[in-house]
Amino acid sequence: MVDLDNEVPPLPPRYRFRDLLLGDQGWQNDDRVQVEFYVNENTFKERLKLFFIKNQRSSLRIRLFNFSLKLLSCMLYIVRVLLDNSNKNKATWSSIIWVERSLPLWGLQVTVALISLLETILLSYLSYKGNIWEQILRIPFILEMINTVPFIITIFWPPLRYLFVPVFLNCWLAKHALENMINDLHRAIQRTQSAMFNQVLILISTLLCLIFTCICGIQHLERAGNNLTLFDSLYFCIVTFSTVGFGDVTPQIWQSKLLVVIMICVALVVLPIQFEQLAYLWMERQKSGGNYSRHRAQTEKHVVLCVSSLKIDLLMDFLNEFYAHPRLQDYYVVILCPTEMDIQVRRILQIPMWSQRVIYLQGSVLKDQDLLRAKMDDAEACFILSSRCEVDRTAADHQTILRAWAVKDFAPNCPLYVQILKPENKFHVKFADHVVCEEEFKYAMLALNCICPATSTLITLLVHTSRGQEGQQSPEQWQKMYGRCSGNEVYHIRMEESLFFAEYEGKSFTYASFHAHKKFGVCLIGVKREDNKNILLNPGPRYIMSSTDTCFYIHVTKEENSAFKQHEQLEKLRKYKSSYHGPSRLPVHSIIASMGTVAIDLQDTTCHSTTGPNLTLPSEVSKEGRRPSIAPVLELADNANMQPCDLLSDQSEDETNPSDDECSDSKEYTKGYPPNSPYIGSSPTFCHLLPEKVPFCCLRLDKGCQHNYYEDAKAYGFKNKIIIVAAETAGNGLYNFIVPLRAYYRPKKELNPIILLLDNPPDMHFLDAICWFPMVYYMVGCIDNLDDLLKCGVTFAANMVVVDKESTMSAEEDYMADAKTIVNVQTLFRLFSSLSIITELTHPANMRFMQFRAKDCYSLALSKLEKKERERGSNLAFMFRLPFAAGRVFSISMLDTLLYQSFVKDYMISITRLLLGLDTTPGSGFLCSMKVTEDDLWIRTYGRLYQKLCSSCGDIPIGIYRTESQKLTTSESQISISVEEWEDTKETKETTTSSRNNHRNSTSSEQSDHPLLRRKSMQWARRLSRKVPRHSNKTERISQQRMTLCRRSERQELAALVKNRMKHLGLSTAGYDEMNDHQNTLSYILINPSPDTRLELNDVVYLIRPDPLSYVPANASSRKSSFCNTTGQDSRDDTQL
């Protein structure tokens, strides 16, 4: 290949003008290659036209030269005026027509005029298009003739050398040349010109030309009057145009007065037009947002938020969560949205707190010029959010994918935070730094809500930034504890830099977690090795902590902001580091002494059951009745005593010897990876599977087939209560609901049947994915059809999960998108009051309508509390709503903060996926729960429970789900009872009440049971509810009792309706309990409570249990046949396109 750069030399600069003059003649004796483009460009006129007009760069030079000539002529006119020494004459025309002009000045003006005239004639000739009058009658051409022709005439007629020529009118020609020059400049540098800049330039230049013309005209005409100087004329014009009008300088002759009138009229016509155009452009720029300054982008940090349509709720959630972190206070947020800013968003962005930090740009992410306006290449991060209110969610995902590709193409180094709706579209944005798939998280949380109650509330509180100050002004004890514990979040720190965990270097993970919680109140939940990017949740007692590990813990505030770092503790830590030389096995008495506990007896640490830790009372208790003791948490795991919890053998099945009938009815399940995944990118999870897949006809619950003849859930005779999922379609995200409920660590006897109540039949691809799971069925029906609900077994269901329908997510009024779901759930609540309903809503604000009671005094009091918390600036004002606190309702939009927090905490998405079971990392634990029974109350406190769990089976507790009776009655018949009567009746029962509540929820439980606090609670609820004044007459009591009877009659009527439909369908009514409801109880979550928090009966403790597979010996695969089944062979095969 010949090097073209060496063969063809560059074109010398000297050829450029020579080619213009010589044309084709210059090519005859030249050794260069001659290239002819078009025939008509070979003429001399075309070459001149190309040089003076068509070529952008040469045309720009010509216009710049013309602009300089006009300015020079105006300066020469000012010099001529300053050199004019004529005395004051009478008002005659001669003083106006003739002026004094020196010979050198005349020569300069003639030269400038000659050059300007020749240039004007040449340009007029080159732009001639057949109409000569069009060229002659143009205003710039007329002004040019007025300013140049008289000077040319004076060359041939010397007496006219002193003739006055209005050269100051060249300022308008300079303005015209400046406008053309700016246009050519933008075209030459290939940038889109700014309309705002051009309009401002035109306005300023027009104003300057008007003032300059008026100054020079008044000064010249007043040569026959007051003989004003240029400064006096300037003063007069400024005073006149500013409408001040002092009157000390005024024109004296009628000619100057006429000129002032003409200039004022011109100004009144021209300037408003210019201002109107400028205002219009300014308003349009305000709508589009303008540009983000390049200088600010290089000196300040900013992030870009890309959305399809910006709603006020989405904006406030992002801003509140993003700016909740102290180190992000100096960041700018640039919003790039294709739609125009609505009124609510505009009102919010005008608040000073946001107006200085939030910039709205109207534009498309798919346009590079809009990305350039947002300075995407300099941004610290880009958040791309999907529009979940779209009717077609797949189309919304496609738009998100294109936006992510466009940003990656334009700014490949900008970190991407992408929100996707459908799991099957997730692999298209796999290149992004952080991805949150809405349906994956939604269905996984709904599934865990059926196993661990209120998991959705637990995750929501963990991913929200809170100060823990919510509810502290309330007299209710549960609201104080619930609000204080809601401030716990997940933080991280390097172990060698930590005061919390540095002293546990070389110790086991469970030892470090227990003692850190006991000493500092922090809950260590996971670690990450320096050489490994995977996070391990509770790796177990065999994991030895290293100084280079990154520790993840739950606490109200991060360690750097903690207030108990004291000099003595730092000195102690320094001495400890100097004396420690590596891991060593300490004797038992040293361990006991270091723990600082009393009467500690070593217990058997074998994991006896896979369903939960063994919390039974120790059998060897002395006769003196001393307090039962708990085994210590060893610094290093004792392999002799710590037996592996081998769930592969399913030890729970061998605890009792089943009868022959049970053996014949039970089915053999295997454990392995699901062979078929409905979408690409799903994380493989070890699950309970069937040896052979079920035929598709057997998956239909309500229709019999050749394999079975059952047509309703009751006929199947399930031993465990069922879980019903009501959804519109069987999307691929529903697969993530089934997997956590069939995970390998769940005992076989505890598997609940799953029934999918679908509005539309599922496709074959989805059925092929679920046919390997045991006890999974589907039924085509609707949630608002009572017969369909009864057929799918709603009367004996453990949980009813209601998924928000995609077709109802968009409505004319945004908050009405949940209307149908709310009414349907309310109907279920009235018909089946004992049913545990878990509902998903689109808008969190609609959670207040769940299980709505219009005359409930307590609910109205909570409504007032929510408003007060919102006024105090809380981001979790809805947290005190009873359905949300109990985990019976959640909105997926509340998890948007998970994506926002990932900018500061890049590990939050990984930890959340591990907690929900969406990802499985070898050696990482899983989220489960245990229930505190009467046999477990001997432990008494949460700290002792922490020790018991860590010492026995290595579980790490992270919180408590507590259910207690509602202190205020909710029936309408008792709302109007006066506070005094309620106190009198309550005082007679104080003795029995105090004896029953011997296990309260905290160390201050005695104070919470005090009658005075209960009276204050009643008064607080009465005051917030703003009820009518007290009435205690007998007539009102009788009417209230009648209301109670009417209410019970309504219940009985609803129960009769349900029973009649069950009899019509041939179903048994034995399992329907119409009176048992949850209206008199309230539930809430305590995340990482203090060690001295007292346990109560029926408390559900959230646990992170170690991975059972990490304890399996290496030769376990040889004795476990479940790894060698037919499904296991295909378990690791990925889905292919």
Side-chain angles (χ1 to χ4, degrees):
M1 180 68 66
V2 180
D3 191 359
L4 297 179
D5 294 337
N6 297 329
E7 293 293 333
V8 181
L11 185 65
R14 65 178 183 273
Y15 288 112
R16 296 175 183 174
F17 191 72
R18 189 190 67 178
D19 295 341
L20 176 64
L21 297 178
L22 299 180
D24 294 339
Q25 298 178 1
W27 293 88
Q28 297 177 358
N29 299 324
D30 203 340
D31 55 351
R32 290 178 297 154
V33 177
Q34 181 178 357
V35 180
E36 295 183 2
F37 294 98
Y38 298 99
V39 177
N40 58 349
E41 290 186 359
N42 290 331
T43 62
F44 181 74
K45 179 181 179 181
E46 290 298 329
R47 288 195 299 271
L48 289 176
K49 193 173 183 179
L50 178 64
F51 183 79
F52 283 94
I53 299 177
K54 292 183 178 181
N55 189 280
Q56 297 174 359
R57 297 184 180 276
S58 59
S59 174
L60 178 62
R61 300 189 186 100
I62 297 300
R63 296 186 190 277
L64 180 61
F65 176 73
N66 189 19
F67 175 73
S68 303
L69 279 180
K70 304 309 177 186
L71 290 182
L72 178 60
S73 63
C74 293
M75 294 177 62
L76 292 176
Y77 178 85
I78 294 175
V79 171
R80 200 273 308 164
V81 172
L82 294 176
L83 296 178
D84 190 3
N85 294 323
S86 60
N87 297 325
K88 182 177 178 180
N89 301 321
K90 295 182 179 181
T92 59
W93 287 99
S94 60
S95 59
I96 299 176
I97 298 175
W98 304 100
V99 295
E100 292 185 2
R101 184 180 292 113
S102 62
L103 184 62
L105 183 61
W106 172 79
L108 290 175
Q109 288 185 328
V110 169
T111 305
V112 172
L114 183 60
I115 297 175
S116 298
L117 179 62
L118 293 177
E119 180 187 7
T120 302
I121 294 175
L122 178 61
L123 292 178
S124 300
Y125 167 71
L126 295 178
S127 59
Y128 172 70
K129 296 181 180 179
N131 189 352
I132 188 62
W133 294 107
E134 180 181 359
Q135 302 293 329
I136 295 176
L137 298 179
R138 289 188 305 113
I139 294 179
F141 184 83
I142 296 175
L143 290 178
E144 194 71 49
M145 294 298 105
I146 293 175
N147 294 327
T148 57
V149 172
F151 284 107
I152 303 301
I153 296 176
T154 59
I155 300 176
F156 306 99
W157 196 359
L160 295 179
R161 194 183 72 178
Y162 300 102
L163 180 69
F164 170 74
V165 180
V167 184
F168 57 84
L169 295 178
N170 277 330
C171 64
W172 296 98
L173 297 177
K175 170 182 171 295
H176 183 260
L178 179 63
E179 294 177 7
N180 294 332
M181 184 176 64
I182 294 298
N183 293 335
D184 289 341
L185 177 63
H186 285 292
R187 286 191 301 167
I189 61 179
Q190 296 181 355
R191 288 186 182 179
T192 305
Q193 66 182 33
S194 172
M196 177 63 65
F197 173 78
N198 281 0
Q199 194 62 39
V200 171
L201 182 65
I202 292 173
L203 176 63
I204 295 176
S205 59
T206 302
L207 186 60
L208 291 178
C209 289
L210 281 174
I211 294 176
F212 184 74
T213 303
C214 187
I215 292 173
C216 295
I218 293 297
Q219 187 276 332
H220 177 71
L221 293 176
E222 283 298 317
R223 294 177 75 253
N226 292 335
N227 198 12
L228 300 176
T229 62
L230 282 177
F231 182 78
D232 293 336
S233 299
L234 173 63
Y235 171 76
F236 169 74
C237 292
I238 296 299
V239 170
T240 303
F241 278 99
S242 62
T243 68
V244 176
F246 290 117
D248 52 346
V249 178
T250 57
Q252 297 297 323
I253 61 176
W254 67 269
Q255 294 91 342
S256 57
K257 293 179 181 180
L258 179 62
L259 178 62
V260 172
V261 172
I262 295 174
M263 296 305 298
I264 291 177
C265 293
V266 172
L268 291 177
V269 174
V270 175
L271 291 182
I273 296 176
Q274 301 292 334
F275 278 111
E276 180 185 5
Q277 295 179 357
L278 182 62
Y280 174 77
L281 290 176
W282 177 258
M283 293 176 61
E284 292 296 325
R285 177 169 179 170
Q286 287 297 106
K287 293 180 181 180
S288 62
N291 297 332
Y292 184 68
S293 171
R294 172 66 68 177
H295 174 72
R296 179 182 293 178
Q298 294 176 351
T299 56
E300 304 287 346
K301 295 181 179 180
H302 75 285
V303 298
V304 182
L305 175 63
C306 304
V307 291
S308 298
S309 60
L310 188 62
K311 302 296 182 181
I312 185 65
D313 294 336
L314 175 66
L315 175 63
M316 295 311 301
D317 288 343
F318 179 83
L319 295 180
N320 290 330
E321 186 63 35
F322 185 80
Y323 286 112
H325 302 276
R327 72 181 185 90
L328 301 182
Q329 297 303 312
D330 295 333
Y331 277 65
Y332 287 86
V333 174
V334 179
I335 302 173
L336 187 59
C337 181
T339 60
E340 185 178 344
M341 190 189 326
D342 60 14
I343 299 177
Q344 291 182 340
V345 175
R346 188 184 303 276
R347 188 182 301 116
I348 290 296
L349 295 185
Q350 288 176 352
I351 299 176
M353 182 172 60
W354 307 123
S355 61
Q356 303 299 325
R357 297 187 291 183
V358 182
I359 300 172
Y360 187 92
L361 302 181
Q362 182 179 354
S364 174
V365 184
L366 302 184
K367 296 181 179 179
D368 286 352
Q369 63 183 29
D370 291 333
L371 294 178
L372 186 62
R373 288 170 54 205
K375 305 302 181 291
M376 185 69 74
D377 50 343
D378 294 327
E380 299 294 322
C382 176
F383 295 89
I384 302 178
L385 305 183
S386 297
S387 177
R388 62 170 55 92
C389 296
E390 295 289 338
V391 178
D392 190 355
R393 294 166 68 85
T394 303
D397 273 350
H398 294 168
Q399 297 175 10
T400 303
I401 292 169
L402 288 183
R403 291 190 180 98
W405 289 354
V407 174
K408 196 64 177 179
D409 177 72
F410 182 83
N413 297 325
C414 180
L416 270 179
Y417 297 78
V418 181
Q419 179 194 62
I420 210 77
L421 301 179
K422 295 284 189 179
E424 59 266 24
N425 298 321
K426 187 177 65 172
F427 78 101
H428 290 293
V429 291
K430 192 177 181 180
F431 57 85
D433 298 82
H434 299 278
V435 180
V436 172
C437 181
E438 180 177 295
E439 289 195 1
E440 274 189 341
F441 283 87
K442 175 178 72 175
Y443 284 107
M445 281 200 303
L446 291 174
L448 283 184
N449 266 8
C450 302
I451 306 173
C452 307
T455 303
S456 58
T457 304
L458 172 69
I459 299 297
T460 301
L461 295 179
L462 282 178
V463 301
H464 270 79
T465 300
S466 173
R467 300 167 297 173
Q469 301 296 324
E470 288 81 3
Q472 300 308 303
Q473 305 297 328
S474 171
E476 292 285 340
Q477 185 64 27
W478 77 269
Q479 293 173 358
K480 290 183 178 180
M481 291 187 60
Y482 176 49
R484 183 169 59 251
C485 293
S486 67
N488 284 276
E489 299 179 42
V490 181
Y491 300 101
H492 77 293
I493 192 171
R494 193 175 175 89
M495 185 174 181
E496 60 184 0
E497 301 172 357
S498 172
L499 179 65
F500 289 159
F501 312 111
E503 60 182 298
Y504 306 117
E505 181 182 355
K507 308 293 194 305
S508 66
F509 177 85
T510 52
Y511 181 88
S513 180
F514 166 68
H515 283 278
H517 183 267
K518 178 183 177 182
K519 188 175 182 179
F520 301 104
V522 300
C523 180
L524 178 63
I525 62 172
V527 292
K528 183 177 70 171
R529 292 291 191 191
E530 185 180 19
D531 55 350
N532 192 353
K533 64 178 181 178
N534 292 327
I535 299 175
L536 302 179
L537 295 182
N538 187 13
R542 289 182 173 84
Y543 184 92
I544 306 302
M545 304 293 291
S546 175
S547 61
T548 58
D549 288 350
T550 301
C551 301
F552 300 93
Y553 60 95
I554 298 177
H555 195 42
V556 176
T557 181
K558 60 182 179 179
E559 181 179 337
E560 292 82 349
N561 298 336
S562 299
F564 47 80
K565 285 187 176 181
Q566 300 177 1
H567 180 71
E568 292 81 2
Q569 292 176 335
L570 295 176
E571 290 293 334
K572 181 179 178 181
L573 179 61
R574 192 178 297 111
K575 292 180 181 179
Y576 165 76
K577 287 186 176 182
S578 62
S579 61
Y580 179 75
H581 299 287
S584 62
R585 182 64 183 270
L586 298 179
V588 175
H589 66 274
S590 299
I591 300 175
I592 297 176
S594 64
M595 290 182 63
T597 57
V598 295
I600 299 179
D601 296 333
L602 296 180
Q603 304 294 330
D604 183 17
T605 57
T606 305
C607 182
H608 297 284
S609 174
T610 59
T611 59
N614 187 11
L615 302 180
T616 57
L617 185 68
S619 58
E620 298 180 0
V621 180
S622 63
K623 296 182 179 180
E624 289 79 3
R626 64 183 178 89
R627 186 178 67 180
S629 59
I630 303 175
V633 183
L634 301 181
E635 293 184 359
L636 298 174
D638 190 353
N639 295 329
N641 293 329
M642 181 70 71
Q643 299 295 329
C645 300
D646 191 0
L647 291 185
L648 294 177
S649 61
D650 210 346
Q651 296 174 4
S652 63
E653 306 296 331
D654 301 332
E655 293 177 359
T656 59
N657 295 323
S659 61
D660 296 337
D661 296 336
E662 292 176 351
C663 294
S664 60
D665 294 337
S666 62
K667 295 183 179 180
E668 291 295 333
Y669 300 153
T670 61
K671 293 180 180 178
Y673 293 94
N676 296 325
S677 176
Y679 62 91
I680 300 175
S682 61
S683 178
T685 305
F686 209 58
C687 300
H688 290 282
L689 300 175
L690 295 172
E692 296 180 358
K693 68 177 184 178
V694 179
F696 292 169
C697 58
C698 296
L699 295 176
R700 185 73 181 262
L701 179 75
D702 57 337
K703 288 187 178 181
C705 63
Q706 59 182 355
H707 306 94
N708 64 70
Y709 303 97
Y710 306 140
E711 293 185 355
D712 59 81
K714 186 69 175 178
Y716 282 80
F718 297 122
K719 296 181 180 179
N720 296 331
K721 289 188 175 183
I722 64 176
I723 297 174
I724 303 175
V725 184
E728 185 176 17
T729 57
N732 293 328
L734 199 56
Y735 175 81
N736 295 292
F737 183 89
I738 301 174
V739 169
L741 299 178
R742 294 295 179 264
Y744 72 96
Y745 45 78
R746 299 210 66 216
K748 190 191 318 182
K749 286 187 176 182
E750 296 183 4
L751 298 182
N752 299 94
I754 303 173
I755 298 178
L756 310 178
L757 183 61
L758 306 174
D759 292 355
N760 303 313
D763 55 9
M764 295 297 104
H765 183 64
F766 179 77
L767 295 178
D768 191 44
I770 69 172
C771 65
W772 290 95
F773 295 101
M775 292 187 295
V776 177
Y777 307 92
Y778 78 94
M779 173 181 168
V780 178
C782 189
I783 190 177
D784 53 6
N785 190 318
L786 181 57
D787 292 350
D788 294 338
L789 292 174
L790 295 175
K791 285 182 180 180
C792 67
V794 69
T795 55
F796 54 94
N799 293 279
M800 178 77 179
V801 179
V802 181
V803 181
D804 200 7
K805 296 183 179 181
E806 296 181 8
S807 59
T808 61
M809 286 185 178
S810 60
E812 294 182 0
E813 186 178 351
D814 291 337
Y815 290 94
M816 285 296 177
D818 296 321
K820 187 175 182 180
T821 302
I822 292 174
V823 175
N824 289 335
V825 172
Q826 184 71 7
T827 304
L828 283 175
F829 174 67
R830 300 293 296 276
L831 292 176
F832 310 98
S833 56
S834 61
L835 180 62
S836 176
I837 308 174
I838 305 171
T839 312
E840 181 222 351
L841 298 178
T842 303
H843 300 283
N846 291 332
M847 290 191 300
R848 64 184 186 272
F849 302 123
M850 302 306 301
Q851 302 180 5
F852 185 74
R853 307 182 191 98
K855 297 182 179 181
D856 187 356
C857 176
Y858 201 67
S859 297
L860 294 177
L862 292 177
S863 177
K864 302 294 183 181
L865 176 62
E866 178 181 345
K867 295 177 182 177
K868 287 190 174 183
E869 292 296 335
R870 186 176 288 108
E871 291 175 357
R872 295 190 183 102
S874 173
N875 298 334
L876 294 171
F878 53 82
M879 63 178 291
F880 294 103
R881 291 287 183 176
L882 296 182
F884 173 77
R888 294 172 187 160
V889 62
F890 89 104
S891 176
I892 191 61
S893 62
M894 295 186 298
L895 278 188
D896 291 345
T897 57
L898 176 63
L899 190 67
Y900 311 153
Q901 271 203 3
S902 299
F903 181 68
V904 178
K905 305 175 183 178
D906 56 355
Y907 50 84
M908 278 305 301
I909 295 179
S910 300
I911 289 181
T912 306
R913 292 182 65 89
L914 290 174
L915 287 175
L916 296 178
L918 291 173
D919 289 340
T920 54
T921 302
S924 179
F926 57 91
L927 180 65
C928 62
S929 64
M930 58 159 285
K931 193 171 186 179
V932 177
T933 62
E934 292 183 358
D935 297 333
D936 304 326
L937 291 178
W938 65 273
I939 300 179
R940 292 190 300 279
T941 63
Y942 182 77
R944 287 170 57 84
L945 175 66
Y946 209 118
Q947 180 180 353
K948 176 63 178 176
L949 293 173
C950 291
S951 62
S952 60
C953 54
D955 292 351
I956 302 296
I958 62 174
I960 298 176
Y961 177 76
R962 177 160 293 171
T963 302
E964 60 185 35
S965 60
Q966 196 166 332
K967 295 178 181 180
L968 300 180
T969 57
T970 58
S971 61
E972 293 86 339
S973 60
Q974 298 181 8
I975 292 177
S976 300
I977 298 178
S978 63
V979 177
E980 288 81 1
E981 294 177 354
W982 186 84
E983 291 172 352
D984 295 338
T985 58
K986 196 64 182 177
E987 287 176 357
T988 61
K989 301 180 181 179
E990 286 179 0
T991 307
T992 57
T993 305
S994 60
S995 62
R996 292 175 185 172
N997 300 329
N998 53 357
H999 299 290
R1000 294 308 299 164
N1001 54 353
S1002 69
T1003 55
S1004 59
S1005 59
E1006 292 82 9
Q1007 298 178 1
S1008 65
D1009 290 338
H1010 200 277
L1012 180 59
L1013 290 181
R1014 286 183 175 272
R1015 296 189 193 109
K1016 290 183 178 180
S1017 300
M1018 186 64 184
Q1019 295 172 0
W1020 169 77
R1022 294 275 301 165
R1023 182 174 63 254
L1024 290 182
S1025 59
R1026 295 181 180 177
K1027 284 298 183 182
V1028 296
R1030 296 177 279 218
H1031 301 286
S1032 59
N1033 53 69
K1034 297 181 179 180
T1035 305
E1036 187 175 354
R1037 290 183 181 179
I1038 295 174
S1039 63
Q1040 291 169 356
Q1041 292 176 0
R1042 288 180 179 177
M1043 290 175 60
T1044 304
L1045 293 177
C1046 293
R1047 185 167 181 259
R1048 291 181 179 177
S1049 299
E1050 182 182 346
R1051 287 186 184 178
Q1052 294 174 355
E1053 184 180 355
L1054 293 174
L1057 172 64
V1058 175
K1059 288 182 177 180
N1060 289 335
R1061 294 309 305 164
M1062 293 179 70
K1063 291 178 181 179
H1064 178 74
L1065 297 174
L1067 302 176
S1068 175
T1069 61
Y1072 180 66
D1073 185 9
E1074 67 274 13
M1075 300 304 294
N1076 183 23
D1077 57 24
H1078 303 286
Q1079 295 184 12
N1080 294 327
T1081 61
L1082 59 88
S1083 303
Y1084 54 94
I1085 289 179
L1086 302 177
I1087 302 176
N1088 187 29
S1090 59
D1092 55 356
T1093 302
R1094 299 191 65 87
L1095 298 177
E1096 290 189 0
L1097 185 64
N1098 296 327
D1099 278 352
V1100 177
V1101 181
Y1102 298 102
L1103 307 173
I1104 299 180
R1105 184 162 296 169
D1107 184 12
L1109 295 180
S1110 62
Y1111 297 143
V1112 178
N1115 58 352
S1117 59
S1118 62
R1119 60 185 179 89
K1120 297 296 178 185
S1121 60
S1122 61
F1123 285 103
C1124 305
N1125 52 37
T1126 56
T1127 60
Q1129 296 175 0
D1130 302 330
S1131 60
R1132 292 172 178 82
D1133 294 338
D1134 296 332
T1135 305
Q1136 301 294 330
L1137 282 177

